[in-house]
Amino acid sequence: MDQNDVTNLPRNVQIMLGVGLLAFIATFFPFDGIHEHGLGADENAWNGVAGVLGALAIMLGFVVVVGQTFAAANMPKLGVSWSFITTALGAFATLMFVIHWIALPSETVFGVHFGLSLQWGGYIEIILCIVFTAVAVMMLRESGEAMPWDSQGAAAPPAA
């Protein structure tokens, strides 16, 4: 049996791999756009600062999950666990896409309202990022790894 067979992986890892790949692919779908009087134009998630940062974060989160899954022995040792990094990247991507959505511009010109609105790809992207982050949090909690803010070298409390 192949050691890199995805069907033998734990369910949460399978979900992370699938959702991460889909979230990266969804960055190329119509994220926002304008549609007025039968005319319209769409942009993918790779526009604007928040969109680019969100797309890069979800891409890096997916790469980290792939690295943890298929090359864990080759991953460098850091002061922070890779599970925590994956969770942080997913949360950051979700935050950036929500900010991108909230900051979509709109104007009124000669009494006609024009504005960018979130398109179907934007909704899919945000939902996938939320799922990615939620599963990453579950995997982080299951791992039992210490959080970065936990005091590693604190002295034990005095005995009573």
Side-chain angles (χ1 to χ4, degrees):
M1 184 160 310
D2 186 17
Q3 70 181 23
N4 290 334
D5 187 12
V6 177
T7 58
N8 293 332
L9 295 172
R11 180 69 59 196
N12 283 346
V13 174
Q14 291 177 3
I15 292 171
M16 288 290 288
L17 290 170
V19 169
L21 179 62
L22 290 175
F24 173 68
I25 291 170
T27 62
F28 299 103
F29 294 163
F31 188 86
D32 59 52
I34 186 168
H35 294 273
E36 298 292 333
H37 308 294
L39 300 173
D42 295 319
E43 294 178 326
N44 61 26
W46 292 88
N47 66 1
V49 175
V52 171
L53 289 175
L56 287 173
I58 200 65
M59 181 179 69
L60 288 173
F62 174 66
V63 168
V64 169
V65 170
V66 169
Q68 282 182 290
T69 304
F70 299 111
N74 297 332
M75 299 284 281
K77 302 296 180 212
L78 301 175
V80 178
S81 74
W82 285 106
S83 297
F84 180 79
I85 291 172
T86 303
T87 304
L89 285 168
F92 182 74
T94 304
L95 178 66
M96 288 296 103
F97 287 131
V98 169
I99 288 172
H100 186 99
W101 178 19
I102 291 170
L104 289 175
S106 65
E107 296 291 330
T108 302
V109 179
F110 300 116
V112 179
H113 177 75
F114 293 95
L116 292 175
S117 60
L118 198 65
Q119 300 298 315
W120 63 272
Y123 291 110
I124 290 172
E125 183 66 40
I126 291 171
I127 291 168
L128 288 171
C129 285
I130 290 169
V131 171
F132 184 89
T133 305
V135 176
V137 167
M138 289 187 329
M139 289 177 61
L140 179 63
R141 291 185 58 135
E142 287 174 0
S143 71
E145 298 168 348
M147 296 294 113
W149 51 83
D150 290 341
S151 54
Q152 302 277 337

